[in-house]
Amino acid sequence: MLEPSFCQPTRISRSVARFGALALAAILAACGGSDDDGSANAGATATLAVLETTDLHFNVRSYDYFKLAEDKSYGFERTATLVRAARKEFANTLLVDNGDSIQGTALADYEATISPIPCTQQLSMYKAMGALGFDAGTLGNHEFNYGLPFLNQVLGGGLDVEGVDATKKCAGAGYPMALANVYSSKTKKPLVQPYTILERTLTAKGADGKEVKLPIKVGVIGFTTPGIMNWDKRYLEGKVYTEGAVEAATKYVPELRAKGADVVVALLHGGLDSAAYSPTMENPGLHLSKVAGIDAMVMGHQHSVFPDAAATPAYRQAGVDNKAGTINGVPAVMASSWGKSLGVIQLALQWDGSKWVVNKTASKSELRNTQSKNAAGATVYVEPDAAVAQLIETQHQAAIQYVKTPIGSTDFRMSTLFADVGDPGAIQIVNQAQQAYVAAYIKASLPQYAALPVLSVSAPFKSGFQGGADYTDVAVGPLAINNAADLYLYPNTVYAVKVNGGDIKNWLEAAAKRFNQIDPAKTTEQSLISTFPGYNFDMFTTPDLQYEIDVTQPVGSRIKNLAYLGKPMDVAQEFVIATNNYRATSGKSFIDKLDGSGTIWASPDANRDVVIDYIRKNPTVTRATNGAAKSWRFAKATTAGPVVFSSGANALSVAQAAGLTNVSLLAADDGLGKGTSKYGIDLSK
Ligand code: MN
Ligand code: MG
């Protein structure tokens, strides 16, 4: 941590407003006989290391609350070790957090909704971060997931917005938040301060080579995703509004400069997208980097990594330099998620006699990971910081008790290991829960839609992206809350949309991008699964709706024999589809109506809670009732060569138990280094 400096005569004028004339005299006296007027040190240089955490998602511990087991691959307790190491390495550091900190684990839900943390106590995430001492942060979209009164409480008060007691004083985050592009509708002012100015003292190297201490003002400004207005509409509509990151930066960065900020660090809870700029764009980093006066940019939200030329996929848009770690010349980082990386921007600074100037070309950025390979090729992990875990131990144990609460039982292994090839075993119960929930609501409260059939879609949220353990996998036996959270990974809320039969076909065509186009004539091996994320592979799981996916056809022409109640789908017939807030509001790439315009009900309830509730009401879960309804299969095709895919290691018995007799195990180790096996699928069967 840098210490505040009040002892630099050339800088005193900046402090007068804060300390007043008497204090100024005292400061001058305290500075004694120094004849250092700052300008004597012109030419001094220093490195300021900006350290970034982002998208921690309440992963204080390296612990999986779904599996009730340690997972060393993430957790702030290990990032903390990297922070301490960086502070030893660099004389001058600034630690910032980029948001999406307070949501994402069962512990987060526990402290927000199950046993709400009292006003006098810090959230466990903030408490853990406090052990390291953050200098500043911003808010991600997920900070809004529990509503504004809760956010007001955990930030310590001060949100002057309708429905919130802004005067409530609570424990708070422990570090200043800056957010420039979300405004209170009540005050027309930023919901939290748009920026903060940190006054610190840098240890610098004088032109004569001697160490010299010089003051610096670092301006920190934050931006979040305008998508909050859709995703948390029920909490935010009419209460706050957003502005584009570029518009907010154009307004406030000059203000920061005018107030004497030597350096401006932008905390963007967003990443990079090569699309043309719009004020509602989710990932405007390429555009924000071009706003004059921004010296460094800390990114996130996409849970990706920058700089990292070897990442798959790596950012490759025009203006991105993965080697230098710059975006349009601005040093930048994106430190993965869940504490897996620490971003480090080394800002090279020069003292011109009265202020610091950033030498951007001499600056650089890098990521430091908690996980790496040693010389022997084995995965090794940074050790956890000794102080962090014990700080939250009581709450950690309480969250474990919460997620272990039994709510039912299952007679089959509910997994997404083979969801990509037709096993509905972990998805059907989600669809059943969503369907029942929406149908009941329509009957009670939306009579104008009572005549429409209600169907549901969901997707295999965990489908191997992170490796062989990244699948929903619920064992036979008792079902507890942690299992329900495994069945529904995200803290989404249920939304109902009105579409017609034609929309359903197009929706499914978009979801079928999950597959590469298979050439039946090709004799060499072809990989079935594309890079289109599994969580976007929406599917129905009901005998009422049937379709085939023809992977030999190009994207857009794959859905065959779509039928409702045994008859070809009438493109004009209307339906209500239960889905989630993300799909309903930002699913325009599926069908136009998923831009929010098709929504007939934005429910306040989390899909996960709806699933938990459904299991509570239907506690005896069976394959026959809850895991065997296949709405779709692959259209039959004879291929000259093998069609292959990866899934969890040695899990063929799971496919067989699901009745997928066309799946075979080809190699126990598929060679990807992710703990997955290679499977074949015979599309002719
Ligand atoms: Mn996030
Ligand atoms: Mg985010």
Side-chain angles (χ1 to χ4, degrees):
M1 290 279 280
L2 298 164
E3 296 304 320
S5 166
F6 309 117
C7 212
Q8 295 297 333
T10 57
R11 309 282 281 191
I12 286 298
S13 60
R14 293 178 174 181
S15 300
V16 170
R18 295 205 305 137
F19 292 94
L22 279 176
L24 173 59
I27 289 166
L28 287 169
C31 290
S34 169
D35 58 2
D36 172 10
D37 68 350
S39 61
N41 291 307
T45 58
T47 299
L48 173 61
V50 178
L51 312 178
E52 176 208 26
T53 59
T54 190
D55 297 270
L56 290 172
H57 282 286
F58 223 117
N59 288 284
V60 177
R61 300 288 314 276
S62 299
Y63 189 83
D64 184 334
Y65 291 94
F66 303 138
K67 295 195 186 321
L68 298 173
E70 181 184 51
D71 187 333
K72 293 179 179 176
S73 69
Y74 56 80
F76 176 70
E77 59 179 322
R78 289 170 204 272
T79 340
T81 302
L82 296 177
V83 171
R84 293 208 202 274
R87 283 183 175 152
K88 283 201 182 113
E89 179 181 343
F90 300 105
N92 308 301
T93 61
L94 209 63
L95 179 59
V96 297
D97 179 74
N98 203 34
D100 276 7
S101 315
I102 71 166
Q103 173 281 332
T105 61
L107 178 54
D109 287 341
Y110 180 77
E111 294 193 349
T113 62
I114 305 303
S115 178
I117 196 93
C119 170
T120 51
Q121 272 183 47
Q122 276 188 305
L123 272 187
S124 288
M125 188 72 242
Y126 289 145
K127 198 173 176 186
M129 293 166 82
L132 276 293
F134 276 68
D135 293 282
T138 192
L139 303 180
N141 49 302
H142 286 291
E143 263 66 47
F144 296 90
N145 284 169
Y146 300 114
L148 291 167
F150 182 75
L151 182 61
N152 182 60
Q153 177 189 319
V154 300
L155 294 184
L159 301 194
D160 194 0
V161 63
E162 189 204 320
V164 171
D165 177 8
T167 62
K168 185 172 174 175
K169 292 273 177 286
C170 295
Y175 57 90
M177 295 293 177
L179 183 61
N181 71 324
V182 177
Y183 291 79
S184 164
S185 303
K186 181 179 160 192
T187 65
K188 308 282 187 280
K189 294 198 173 99
L191 182 66
V192 302
Q193 60 180 347
Y195 53 75
T196 183
I197 297 179
L198 307 171
E199 298 188 39
R200 301 289 191 261
T201 299
L202 291 187
T203 301
K205 196 165 116 182
D208 57 4
K210 287 189 188 140
E211 185 180 297
V212 55
K213 305 272 189 190
L214 289 163
I216 187 169
K217 282 188 170 186
V218 181
V220 178
I221 181 166
F223 312 93
T224 198
T225 45
I228 58 170
M229 297 309 300
N230 289 326
W231 302 326
D232 284 307
K233 190 174 183 175
R234 69 194 187 283
Y235 291 137
L236 304 182
E237 193 171 40
K239 300 198 172 86
V240 303
Y241 58 95
T242 64
E243 185 174 56
V246 167
E247 288 80 357
T250 305
K251 187 182 334 179
Y252 290 117
V253 171
E255 238 183 78
L256 261 176
R257 290 287 179 190
K259 287 184 181 174
D262 300 272
V263 169
V264 172
V265 178
L267 309 186
L268 171 64
H269 188 81
L272 303 175
D273 177 344
S274 56
Y277 180 73
S278 85
T280 55
M281 88 186 288
E282 195 171 345
N283 296 294
L286 287 165
H287 306 282
L288 182 65
S289 64
K290 291 181 183 167
V291 174
I294 291 177
D295 297 303
M297 191 167 70
V298 154
M299 304 184 290
H301 181 62
Q302 290 178 315
H303 293 202
S304 280
V305 287
F306 180 82
D308 185 351
T312 48
Y315 290 113
R316 306 230 181 275
Q317 293 95 337
V320 173
D321 187 334
N322 263 295
K323 200 155 173 243
T326 56
I327 310 289
N328 294 313
V330 176
V333 281
M334 189 192 297
S336 188
S337 63
W338 297 18
K340 286 178 270 191
S341 296
L342 179 71
V344 180
I345 299 176
Q346 293 182 47
L347 281 176
L349 304 175
Q350 273 170 337
W351 180 255
D352 74 359
S354 65
K355 65 179 187 303
W356 289 103
V357 179
V358 178
N359 180 347
K360 281 187 185 167
T361 50
S363 300
K364 57 182 173 183
S365 65
E366 63 179 301
L367 292 185
R368 298 179 176 187
N369 302 322
T370 59
Q371 178 179 336
S372 59
K373 297 272 187 204
N374 68 12
T379 302
V380 289
Y381 303 93
V382 167
E383 284 300 313
D385 182 85
V388 169
Q390 67 195 38
L391 280 176
I392 65 143
E393 181 59 15
T394 307
Q395 292 294 91
H396 173 64
Q397 292 303 335
I400 288 171
Q401 285 314 310
Y402 154 62
V403 298
K404 280 172 154 175
T405 312
I407 52 172
S409 68
T410 174
D411 78 346
F412 71 107
R413 181 175 172 185
M414 306 170 83
S415 98
T416 55
L417 285 157
F418 296 93
D420 278 332
V421 294
D423 178 9
I427 297 171
Q428 187 180 348
I429 198 156
V430 173
N431 277 333
Q432 288 173 315
Q434 292 180 170
Q435 195 277 344
Y437 174 78
V438 169
Y441 184 82
I442 286 176
K443 197 174 165 204
S445 307
L446 293 171
Q448 65 271 40
Y449 302 114
L452 303 186
V454 178
L455 300 173
S456 175
V457 287
S458 191
F461 297 123
K462 296 169 80 177
S463 52
F465 181 72
Q466 316 255 25
D470 181 27
Y471 290 91
T472 298
D473 197 0
V474 177
V476 173
L479 281 172
I481 285 166
N482 66 306
N483 302 128
D486 195 12
L487 289 166
Y488 203 101
L489 180 65
Y490 297 112
N492 294 341
T493 50
V494 176
Y495 272 44
V497 295
K498 184 164 78 77
V499 300
N500 61 35
D503 296 323
I504 287 178
K505 169 150 190 311
N506 292 332
W507 189 333
L508 292 172
E509 289 285 6
K513 290 179 191 166
R514 179 65 177 160
F515 305 107
N516 292 318
Q517 186 175 357
I518 300 300
D519 178 357
K522 211 168 175 178
T523 53
T524 50
E525 188 173 286
Q526 296 181 75
S527 178
L528 180 65
I529 310 299
S530 73
T531 56
F532 186 77
Y535 54 73
N536 282 335
F537 182 33
D538 281 351
M539 64 180 80
F540 293 89
T541 54
T542 165
D544 292 352
L545 191 83
Q546 294 288 311
Y547 53 102
E548 294 181 358
I549 299 175
D550 187 346
V551 292
T552 67
Q553 297 303 307
V555 164
S557 309
R558 293 176 166 177
I559 302 302
K560 300 285 160 68
N561 299 321
L562 179 61
Y564 178 64
L565 297 179
K567 298 201 184 81
M569 176 65 83
D570 171 1
V571 295
Q573 178 171 357
E574 291 190 317
F575 295 86
V576 172
I577 309 291
T579 178
N580 61 60
N581 56 321
Y582 278 82
R583 186 69 76 249
T585 63
S586 53
K588 206 174 183 321
S589 63
F590 288 69
I591 56 169
D592 283 347
K593 286 172 190 168
L594 294 178
D595 64 355
S597 62
T599 301
I600 59 160
W601 182 40
S603 94
D605 289 320
N607 302 63
R608 186 189 286 165
D609 292 336
V610 166
V611 172
I612 289 170
D613 232 47
Y614 186 83
I615 295 172
R616 282 197 168 114
K617 286 178 189 145
N618 306 273
T620 307
V621 173
T622 66
R623 168 87 73 184
T625 311
N626 310 105
K630 298 183 176 86
S631 268
W632 67 276
R633 53 155 297 141
F634 291 114
K636 284 187 183 175
T638 302
T639 59
V643 176
V644 304
F645 64 97
S646 289
S647 185
N650 298 313
L652 187 62
S653 62
V654 177
Q656 288 166 341
L660 298 169
T661 53
N662 56 347
V663 173
S664 56
L665 177 66
L666 299 182
D669 181 352
D670 60 11
L672 296 176
K674 293 169 84 178
T676 41
S677 290
K678 187 202 272 190
Y679 298 89
I681 180 159
D682 182 349
L683 294 172
S684 73
K685 286 185 182 158

